[in-house]
Amino acid sequence: AQRVTQPEKLLSVFKGAPVELKCNYSYSGSPELFWYVQYSRQRLQLLLRHISRESIKGFTADLNKGETSFHLKKPFAQEEDSAMYYCALGNQAGTALIFGKGTTLSVSS
Amino acid sequence: DAGVIQSPRHEVTEMGQEVTLRCKPISGHDYLFWYRQTMMRGLELLIYFNNNVPIDDSGMPEDRFSAKMPNASFSTLKIQPSEPRDSAVYFCASSPQGIAYGYTFGSGTRLTVV
């Protein structure tokens, strides 16, 4: 079965510290993975897609098929990174996204 | 384009009442999705449409929930009768080609059933 696991509900770090938001998935075949972010009182928005191999707002995520992981990383956290982060996996048909339960990132000074 | 538009933004209703949530997708997007967000379960996919046709409604919790897409620019999610456990934020999203480029989400409807 397709599944996305985000083991941490809350991650608290200090400004300038490295951040790693964990995401593990269960999928048969080649997965399509995404990270979405929801800032306070704003709508969910796409942060990055694994297929693009991009870096957005200093965040990167590498697909590790051996560990079935797609962790989101940033070397130096900023206060404006505080938000809810969701990892998402494309379904087998490539038509819909399955989301994890989300991790709240809190960055304090 | 104004993006995905949902209405109402907030809805408070009494248990047993019918609730209708509305969504206007981005023009030209062929896919429309309804999700429910709760603290316990996170974001759950309820149902999605392609070219106005329901493709997968396996996430709809029970028969009290129904969704329609009468045309390319409008969709509704109806709960009848509503129950307190339906309280959640309901999101609509649309995309041009399934998941390839990700979704655009609406602002959500916060539903409270008392």
Side-chain angles (χ1 to χ4, degrees):
Chain A
Q2 300 146 66
R3 191 182 303 120
V4 179
T5 303
Q6 294 181 252
E8 302 141 328
K9 291 202 72 155
L10 173 66
L11 183 64
S12 297
V13 302
F14 288 107
K15 178 181 171 182
V19 170
E20 182 178 71
L21 296 162
K22 290 184 168 52
C23 172
N24 289 92
Y25 66 89
S26 174
Y27 188 85
S28 298
S30 294
E32 290 195 62
L33 288 148
F34 303 77
W35 276 98
Y36 278 77
V37 61
Q38 187 178 28
Y39 300 104
S40 179
R41 301 184 186 280
Q42 293 188 29
R43 62 187 69 193
L44 273 149
Q45 55 188 280
L46 178 64
L47 182 60
L48 54 79
R49 303 173 291 160
H50 96 270
I51 198 167
S52 302
R53 302 186 66 80
E54 57 207 341
S55 174
I56 305 293
K57 299 184 179 182
F59 284 98
T60 59
D62 290 318
L63 175 61
N64 185 323
K65 289 188 177 182
E67 295 184 357
T68 59
S69 69
F70 187 57
H71 302 329
L72 183 68
K73 299 177 184 178
K74 185 169 183 176
F76 307 104
Q78 303 298 314
E79 289 182 76
E80 55 264 32
D81 295 329
S82 296
M84 173 76 89
Y85 290 81
Y86 287 95
C87 182
L89 168 70
N91 65 358
Q92 292 283 165
T95 52
L97 290 175
I98 300 160
F99 285 83
K101 292 187 179 181
T103 298
T104 299
L105 174 64
S106 176
V107 182
S108 55
S109 57
Chain B
D1 201 324
V4 177
I5 300 172
Q6 290 187 247
S7 64
R9 290 294 303 272
H10 302 275
E11 176 82 36
V12 180
T13 190
E14 290 185 348
M15 183 173 66
Q17 296 297 305
E18 178 180 294
V19 175
T20 299
L21 311 180
R22 297 172 176 79
C23 176
K24 179 179 176 5
I26 292 174
S27 178
H29 281 195
D30 292 336
Y31 285 84
L32 183 140
F33 307 85
W34 283 100
Y35 283 83
R36 178 171 68 176
Q37 182 186 46
T38 61
M39 290 290 290
M40 290 296 294
R41 291 193 159 105
L43 270 168
E44 301 173 275
L45 176 63
L46 300 177
I47 185 171
Y48 71 97
F49 296 82
N50 180 23
N51 291 321
N52 314 335
V53 176
I55 301 301
D56 185 353
D57 65 355
S58 59
M60 296 286 260
E62 46 197 276
D63 291 346
R64 297 185 296 107
F65 286 69
S66 62
K68 293 182 179 179
M69 193 164 185
N71 57 62
S73 59
F74 184 65
S75 177
T76 59
L77 177 67
K78 187 177 293 187
I79 308 172
Q80 165 64 16
S82 58
E83 296 182 3
R85 59 193 168 117
D86 301 330
S87 297
V89 181
Y90 291 81
F91 285 102
C92 177
S94 70
S95 74
Q97 294 178 354
I99 65 170
Y101 298 98
Y103 299 165
T104 301
F105 277 87
S107 298
T109 295
R110 182 174 295 277
L111 173 65
T112 303
V113 183
V114 298

